[in-house]
């Protein structure tokens, strides 16, 4: 029996494939390659020494989903597939609602059809909105402030309603904080299309000369150095969290949210400095105006994941920066290098 990973060729999905396979699970991947590369799957296969069953299909294609469930004995699903850029979601909200909500509804319907009721959902800390109370805990009020965050919030609500109507489901809602880093081999990592939306790949692309300098959005926040503070988590720690969530889902019933973060904050300039120390490369930067809605500080309380899933983050900022640099240095143009 296997775990189906939607969006499994993406940044977090590809790392999760490795962690699952190293833990003894078989995996099946569906990805339309809209925001990812088939090269990631080939490199996952090279790392684990096993083939990955891969379908290049869209999760909104119900007939493709039915084919996958017919051809494979799926015991659980990890649902990563979806659009994920906050800024872009404000420009094309209907595209985000269509892609993220419809894909989830179709996936649930096909899972019901085939009697598969164990699901791990890729949610986000954006569901907490602009809470000023830190650290964030799973029982805090929710209130996303952009279309991307609202798709995550709406899907969580859909899944809570699903569980209320069918209590034999087991659903883990994993609220990520800020994934960075790469696999220690340096062969897979974050490879965004176009100008990166996230801080670490932006820093890494400055380091290899693809971008001229880092834009720092605001230096007048109420933080240690005036720049925004976030909870950065190594992508491999995050991937291992998904393995623990699958383990839990196979043995329990319920619909539970879990924060996946380190519980520690790091400012933009602190992350830049840590990357410079890891890479030996100076990162020029320019202070630019704040982005609307950016909070001063965001970090997790991840005690629930520790107590219930038996998971906690192990890798520190130094390792996150070292692994990112190894990936970017070896692959200056991302997966296009090969």
């Amino acid at each position: 029996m296997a775990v189906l990973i939607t969006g499994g060729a993406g940044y977090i999905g590809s790392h999760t494939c490795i962690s699952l396979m190293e833990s003894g699970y078989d995996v099946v991947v569906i990805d339309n390659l809209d925001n990812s590369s088939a090269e990631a799957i080939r490199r996952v296969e090279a790392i684990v020494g096993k083939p990955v069953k891969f379908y290049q299909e869209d999760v909104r294609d119900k007939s493709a989903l039915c084919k996958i469930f017919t051809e494979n004995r799926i015991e659980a699903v990890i649902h990563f597939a979806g659009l994920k850029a906050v800024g872009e979601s404000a420009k094309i909200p209907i595209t985000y609602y269509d892609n993220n909500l419809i894909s989830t509804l179709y996936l649930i319907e096909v899972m019901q059809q085939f009697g598969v009721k164990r699901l791990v959902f890729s949610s986000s800390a954006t569901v907490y909105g602009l809470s000023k109370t830190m650290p964030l805990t799973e029982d805090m009020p929710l209130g996303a402030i952009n279309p991307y965050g609202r798709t995550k919030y709406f899907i969580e609500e859909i899944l809570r309603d699903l569980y209320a109507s069918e209590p034999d489901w087991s659903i883990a809602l994993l609220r990520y904080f800020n994934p960075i880093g790469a696999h220690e081999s340096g062969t897979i990592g974050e490879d965004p299309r176009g100008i990166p939306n996230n801080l670490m790949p932006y820093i890494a692309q400055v380091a290899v000369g693809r971008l001229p300098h880092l834009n720092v959005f605001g230096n007048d926040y109420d933080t240690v150095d005036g720049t925004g503070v976030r909870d950065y988590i190594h992508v491999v720690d995050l991937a291992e969290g998904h393995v623990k969530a699958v383990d839990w889902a196979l043995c329990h019933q319920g619909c539970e949210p879990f924060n996946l973060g380190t519980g520690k904050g790091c400012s933009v300039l602190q992350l830049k400095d840590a990357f410079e120390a890891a890479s030996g490369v100076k990162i020029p930067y320019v202070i630019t105006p704040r982005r609307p809605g950016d909070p001063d500080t965001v970090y997790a309380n991840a005690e629930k994941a520790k107590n219930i899933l038996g998971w906690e983050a192990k890798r520190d900022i130094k390792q996150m920066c070292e692994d990112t640099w190894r990936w970017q240095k070896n692959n200056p143009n991302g997966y296009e290098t090969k």
Side-chain angles (χ1 to χ4, degrees), residues 184-195:
E184 62 184 3
S185 66
T187 57
I188 67 168
E190 189 168 8
D191 183 25
R193 300 273 172 91
I195 302 296

Side-chain angles (χ1 to χ4, degrees), residues 125-141 143 177-178 222-223 228-232 259 262-266 293-302:
T126 57
V127 300
Y128 293 112
L130 291 175
S131 173
K132 295 189 181 301
T133 304
M134 295 295 147
L136 293 167
T137 58
E138 290 86 350
D139 57 357
M140 285 182 171
F177 281 68
N178 294 71
D222 184 17
T223 62
V229 168
R230 299 292 181 268
D231 188 338
Y232 296 98
N259 288 339
T262 65
K264 299 174 184 175
C266 176
D294 272 357
D296 294 6
T297 300
V298 178
Y299 61 96
N301 177 321

Side-chain angles (χ1 to χ4, degrees), residues 260-334:
L260 296 187
T262 65
K264 299 174 184 175
C266 176
S267 77
V268 172
L269 292 183
Q270 286 173 332
L271 187 63
K272 176 198 75 74
D273 291 346
F275 188 90
E276 288 180 340
S279 65
V281 177
K282 195 72 177 169
I283 306 297
Y285 68 94
V286 174
I287 302 296
T288 62
R290 289 189 185 203
R291 292 180 299 193
D294 272 357
D296 294 6
T297 300
V298 178
Y299 61 96
N301 177 321
E303 286 299 306
K304 184 177 178 181
K306 180 179 179 179
N307 294 335
I308 295 178
L309 301 182
W311 171 91
E312 61 182 325
K314 303 170 188 171
R315 297 160 179 86
D316 60 14
I317 287 289
K318 180 174 181 286
Q319 186 170 351
M320 296 178 209
C321 291
E322 289 172 348
D323 290 343
T324 298
W325 177 235
R326 188 180 304 111
W327 150 255
Q328 197 71 75
K329 183 173 60 174
N330 292 345
N331 303 271
N333 296 308

Side-chain angles (χ1 to χ4, degrees), residues 151-218:
T151 66
K152 295 297 186 183
Y153 170 66
F154 292 160
I155 291 168
E156 283 200 12
E157 290 288 277
I158 289 167
L159 295 174
R160 278 186 279 270
D161 287 342
L162 173 64
Y163 172 69
S165 67
E166 298 181 33
D168 56 340
W169 276 79
S170 181
I171 304 167
L173 310 170
L174 301 187
R175 295 172 181 167
Y176 311 160
F177 281 68
N178 294 71
I180 61 174
H183 190 265
E184 62 184 3
S185 66
T187 57
I188 67 168
E190 189 168 8
D191 183 25
R193 300 273 172 91
I195 302 296
N197 291 296
N198 297 326
L199 176 60
M200 182 58 102
Y202 205 109
I203 290 174
Q205 289 191 17
V206 171
V208 293
R210 286 173 63 180
L211 294 169
H213 59 260
L214 171 66
N215 290 318
V216 177
F217 298 106

Side-chain angles (χ1 to χ4, degrees), residues 10-160:
Y11 173 45
I12 304 171
S14 58
H15 287 83
T16 301
C17 284
I18 293 171
S19 291
L20 280 167
M21 294 172 80
E22 289 179 343
S23 298
Y25 287 99
D26 293 323
V27 303
V28 176
V29 170
I30 176 173
D31 198 304
N32 64 7
L33 302 183
D34 210 30
N35 257 328
S36 54
S37 170
E39 179 62 24
I41 296 296
R42 289 189 282 271
R43 296 188 186 190
V44 166
E45 292 175 330
I47 290 167
V48 298
K50 296 179 187 176
V52 174
K53 196 162 188 182
F54 173 59
Y55 294 82
Q56 185 177 344
E57 301 285 357
D58 194 301
V59 182
R60 290 171 295 174
D61 183 342
K62 199 182 288 189
S63 63
L65 285 175
C66 289
K67 181 174 186 284
I68 291 170
F69 277 82
T70 300
E71 294 180 353
N72 302 276
R73 292 184 65 202
I74 304 297
E75 62 179 338
V77 177
I78 301 178
H79 184 32
F80 291 110
L83 300 175
K84 61 177 187 176
V86 170
E88 182 183 64
S89 76
K91 297 174 183 174
I92 50 170
I94 301 308
T95 301
Y96 269 68
Y97 290 126
D98 174 72
N99 190 297
N100 295 3
L101 297 180
I102 298 302
S103 63
T104 304
L105 292 171
Y106 283 1
L107 177 64
I108 291 167
E109 288 172 5
V110 174
M111 290 176 70
Q112 286 175 315
Q113 182 179 334
F114 285 85
V116 178
K117 296 191 173 184
R118 299 174 177 93
L119 176 64
V120 176
F121 172 58
S122 164
S123 191
S124 166
T126 57
V127 300
Y128 293 112
L130 291 175
S131 173
K132 295 189 181 301
T133 304
M134 295 295 147
L136 293 167
T137 58
E138 290 86 350
D139 57 357
M140 285 182 171
L142 305 180
I145 61 168
N146 55 67
Y148 162 72
R150 278 189 279 273
T151 66
K152 295 297 186 183
Y153 170 66
F154 292 160
I155 291 168
E156 283 200 12
E157 290 288 277
I158 289 167
L159 295 174
R160 278 186 279 270

